[in-house]
Amino acid sequence: MDTDTTTATPTGGPVDAGTYDVLRRRLGDRAAELARRAEALNARRTEEFGSTELRLTGTEQIRTEQASVPRDLVAVGGRLLFGFERGPGATGTAEVSDVLALYGPELDAPVAGGPPADEDFVREFTALHRYYRDARLLRLRRVDGKLLAVFRTGESADGIRVLRWALAADGSPGAFLDARGDRDHVFPPSHDFTWTVAGRESHVAGRHPHIAVGGDGDGSRAVLFVDTLGGTLTVKTENDTDTPHGIYEEPVTEPLQSLADAEVEHATIGPLVLLRVRPYNEESWRHLVFNSLLGTVLRLDGIGPACHRLPEDQGIIFPGGYYLTTGTAKTFDIAEPLSAPLFEGAVRSPNGEDVLYVFRSPDDGRSLLLPYNLIRQEVATPLQGRGHALLDDGTLVLLRTTPTADEPARVHQVQRWHTPYVSDTHAASRPASDGPLARVGNADLVRGISDCLALAHGATETTPTAAVYARLVADCVRATDRYHWLTDPELGTLADPLAELRATAEQVLTEFETVRELTRQAADALAEATENITALVRRSRGEVPRTAAEWVDRLTELRRAHGHVTTLAEMRYADTERVAELSADTAADIEAVARRAVSFLSRDDAFAGYHEDIA
């Protein structure tokens, strides 16, 4: 076989198939240079605008006059409103001070005068505890310029009563409004996308039928094909009903079910296709993520309760983990996972580099905070607590979750964290400069640096596929068009390595098709040689030659096949390990046949045929 197959570059010149390896190395060099310049610019940006590091600055305590169970913590006007529940041994009518306490930012002692308690509030508070003997504070919230105090009035989580105040411009509580805050006590959608139900119009008939999903949402131009037949949940990328197998398979509980028995829903988020499947006779939904760039499927049931897109189409985030379009998946080993978590909201830092995703359990009020960094594309430290308060200077006060948190106590543990989530007014109070970084702005620099680093990492760390290279080219074009300052010499001229990365990626994409064809040819040749040798070995073991000439022919055929296998290792992109393994097995088979031939030739009548021919 001719291994010097050539192809053409985008400029039309011939390129040897081995050029793919050279182009891959060149792509890595261009990516490394782009990453180096982007990281250098990011270091300058951090020095100019300040660090965004999330770090623990201390562990402190909140003290209450009576033993109580902590419930929540919220920042109001630069101070901290602490909500708690009276201990089970408390007697007498509940007072406001038995449920709420206002502290200064240092948490040293309650502020004189306590929480806002005008006559209207005291009246509603007293009536609440008079008519609902089991009333207890569930949580505190700031929503749309209002402060909410949510009380549970019974055993059910649906039985609530919400007192509310108006918040002043500085965030401090103003006038008490009423006890009808349940209309404000709502949460954002748990998913920022819509699940599309795959109906019967998406069913594809055949020997092994399946359901077409993806594409335009109606099954047209589908990218995935799903079924739960034959005892297996199967995901395919080819519309092939002749085979039951796909790129992903896992068992189902009920093997006997029809195509229409399973419930299938899907959503497309950039290059990701999310699947929501409930096979017949099963209570729980299964959640899968298909990456169209890599052609891989991963089961992530954590996206079921809540799931949101990450900024800049970097992937998705859900309670307890995240998944990036690069294929990176991270789930955190959380000691006490949230029960039926809800998405409470997201807090963006003014620099645009960090986003804090907040999830909350409606049953016990525990919260999970996931601080995501766009440049590093990671959640550094998941934080768990009973509640948290975010001050204007970015200080995060976290009410800790401990094994004894549900037991009444007078001392309650809190953590103080330094975060980048400062208020807009606090960020605006920082002195401004007139340098090249200030002219562009921190937020735009963050997005540009994040995109450049993502391109650099994607070029070298992602499994190479045609879709990956095509996306790399498109993203290079998009970054060039979006960020005008990439050509600025004062900012490192990131446009130069970016343009080289794009040009090299285009060449690699062209060459990748050639390599894929050569790989297929090498695999076909190896499969053909394996089939031929298997047939020869089976024949040599099942059919005993009757003459010396037949033994010689049999050995000659095996040696010829062995020699052909050895030459396959010289083909480009051949599976050399499999070739070596097949060559060793064939050599062992030749040796076994040779021993049997020697045993036959040692017999007195071994050459009887030759004697007859001579006579």
Side-chain angles (χ1 to χ4, degrees):
M1 177 181 291
D2 182 8
T3 59
D4 294 328
T5 304
T6 60
T7 186
T9 63
T11 58
V15 179
D16 184 79
T19 305
Y20 174 74
D21 297 324
V22 176
L23 290 174
R24 280 283 298 171
R25 289 192 293 271
R26 184 184 303 169
L27 188 72
D29 293 340
R30 302 299 183 269
E33 176 62 18
L34 178 62
R36 186 190 66 79
R37 296 194 188 190
E39 289 170 353
L41 179 60
N42 189 48
R44 292 174 55 193
R45 182 195 65 82
T46 301
E47 182 178 357
E48 174 84 12
F49 296 102
S51 171
T52 61
E53 179 185 3
L54 177 71
R55 68 177 186 274
L56 178 65
T57 59
T59 300
E60 303 172 12
Q61 298 174 340
I62 296 181
R63 297 179 180 272
T64 54
E65 295 182 4
Q66 304 295 330
S68 57
V69 179
R71 288 303 177 197
D72 209 345
L73 190 67
V74 67
V76 287
R79 294 180 289 186
L80 298 169
L81 181 61
F82 180 39
F84 43 92
E85 175 188 343
R86 291 199 303 172
T91 60
T93 305
E95 302 290 341
V96 174
S97 59
D98 295 331
V99 179
L100 299 172
L102 189 64
Y103 292 80
E106 301 303 323
L107 297 173
D108 46 2
V111 176
D118 57 24
E119 292 183 2
D120 293 337
F121 167 66
V122 173
R123 183 171 58 254
E124 289 289 353
F125 181 88
T126 303
L128 172 66
H129 287 80
R130 179 184 301 121
Y131 293 119
Y132 301 99
R133 297 182 57 186
D134 296 330
R136 59 188 186 277
L137 181 68
L138 186 63
R139 60 165 309 179
L140 301 169
R141 290 187 67 191
R142 291 180 53 167
V143 180
D144 297 333
K146 301 181 184 69
L147 171 64
L148 308 182
V150 184
F151 289 84
R152 177 177 289 184
T153 57
E155 294 300 327
S156 172
D158 297 331
I160 60 172
R161 194 170 181 86
V162 183
L163 311 184
R164 59 179 182 170
W165 295 261
L167 289 176
D170 62 352
S172 59
F176 176 74
L177 299 177
D178 50 44
R180 296 188 294 271
D182 52 312
R183 68 188 70 177
D184 299 310
H185 183 53
V186 294
F187 294 90
S190 59
H191 299 74
D192 63 348
F193 54 85
T194 302
W195 291 106
T196 301
V197 178
R200 291 184 178 271
E201 71 280 357
S202 301
H203 291 194
V204 181
R207 182 181 178 187
H208 299 283
H210 48 224
I211 302 173
V213 301
D216 295 333
D218 57 357
S220 61
R221 294 195 295 274
V223 296
L224 279 184
F225 304 89
V226 185
D227 72 79
T228 56
L229 307 178
T232 303
L233 167 61
T234 304
V235 179
K236 304 177 184 177
T237 55
E238 299 292 336
N239 190 11
D240 181 8
T241 58
D242 293 331
T243 175
H245 303 295
I247 63 170
Y248 179 85
E249 297 178 1
E250 65 177 42
V252 297
T253 301
E254 179 58 62
L256 299 178
Q257 57 181 291
S258 68
L259 197 63
D261 288 336
E263 299 177 66
V264 178
E265 300 177 5
H266 58 93
T268 301
I269 300 179
L272 305 180
V273 178
L274 310 186
L275 291 176
R276 192 167 181 255
V277 183
R278 183 162 65 180
Y280 175 68
N281 210 21
E282 294 187 19
E283 295 183 0
S284 301
W285 289 85
R286 307 184 187 198
H287 296 82
L288 309 174
V289 179
F290 169 70
N291 192 323
S292 61
L293 297 178
L294 308 179
T296 58
V297 177
L298 182 65
R299 180 168 175 176
L300 289 173
D301 288 334
I303 68 178
C307 179
H308 274 245
R309 307 167 189 254
L310 289 173
E312 306 298 328
D313 287 332
Q314 292 185 358
I316 56 176
I317 191 166
F318 50 90
Y322 59 92
Y323 182 89
L324 304 180
T325 56
T326 59
T328 300
K330 178 69 174 179
T331 56
F332 301 104
D333 186 11
I334 299 175
E336 297 182 15
L338 302 185
S339 173
L342 298 173
F343 175 72
E344 185 167 285
V347 180
R348 290 179 176 267
S349 62
N351 60 18
E353 180 180 353
D354 300 272
V355 184
L356 181 66
Y357 293 91
V358 182
F359 299 93
R360 193 116 184 186
S361 173
D363 296 332
D364 53 18
R366 290 184 299 117
S367 59
L368 174 66
L369 283 63
L370 301 181
Y372 181 78
N373 184 273
L374 273 72
I375 291 182
R376 295 190 298 272
Q377 294 193 18
E378 65 177 8
V379 172
T381 307
L383 306 177
Q384 276 193 286
R386 284 286 180 183
H388 66 279
L390 196 58
L391 299 174
D392 286 348
D393 62 355
T395 298
L396 176 70
V397 182
L398 182 69
L399 187 58
R400 291 187 59 191
T401 300
T402 62
T404 60
D406 289 328
E407 300 177 3
R410 296 183 61 185
V411 178
H412 312 281
Q413 301 294 325
V414 297
Q415 290 179 333
R416 192 179 293 268
W417 293 80
H418 168 75
T419 78
Y421 309 106
V422 301
S423 67
D424 293 337
T425 54
H426 187 274
S429 64
R430 293 174 178 173
S433 65
D434 57 355
L437 298 178
R439 289 197 301 269
V440 175
N442 194 19
D444 202 38
L445 285 171
V446 166
R447 289 192 294 270
I449 293 172
S450 174
D451 284 354
C452 288
L453 289 176
L455 288 169
H457 297 157
T460 56
E461 298 177 4
T462 307
T463 303
T465 65
V468 167
Y469 292 131
R471 175 71 179 263
L472 182 61
V473 172
D475 287 347
C476 287
V477 174
R478 181 176 61 88
T480 303
D481 295 340
R482 176 180 288 187
Y483 308 111
H484 63 87
W485 48 267
L486 293 177
T487 58
D488 191 339
E490 292 184 292
L491 300 178
T493 321
L494 273 69
D496 291 347
L498 184 62
E500 294 174 354
L501 182 68
R502 171 190 171 185
T504 307
E506 290 174 340
Q507 290 180 303
V508 172
L509 179 60
T510 302
E511 207 49 37
F512 185 80
E513 298 299 330
T514 299
V515 170
R516 186 160 58 178
E517 176 61 22
L518 290 175
T519 303
R520 185 192 63 79
Q521 292 177 5
D524 290 346
L526 180 58
E528 181 181 354
T530 302
E531 184 179 356
N532 182 39
I533 290 175
T534 301
L536 289 174
V537 172
R538 186 182 299 115
R539 184 175 147 202
S540 66
R541 292 174 179 174
E543 301 177 6
V544 179
R546 293 175 295 179
T547 65
E550 291 180 3
W551 278 107
V552 171
D553 292 341
R554 191 67 49 82
L555 284 169
T556 301
E557 289 176 341
L558 284 170
R559 288 195 177 99
R560 185 181 297 114
H562 182 250
H564 177 64
V565 169
T566 304
T567 63
L568 295 181
E570 300 175 2
M571 296 181 65
R572 291 196 181 274
Y573 312 110
D575 187 349
T576 54
E577 292 184 3
R578 178 70 185 107
V579 170
E581 181 182 348
L582 181 60
S583 178
D585 292 342
T586 306
D589 291 328
I590 292 175
E591 184 178 353
V593 173
R595 286 196 299 268
R596 293 172 58 199
V598 169
S599 177
F600 175 83
L601 295 177
S602 64
R603 293 164 43 180
D604 294 338
D605 60 345
F607 298 98
Y610 287 108
H611 294 158
E612 292 176 0
D613 292 341
I614 293 172

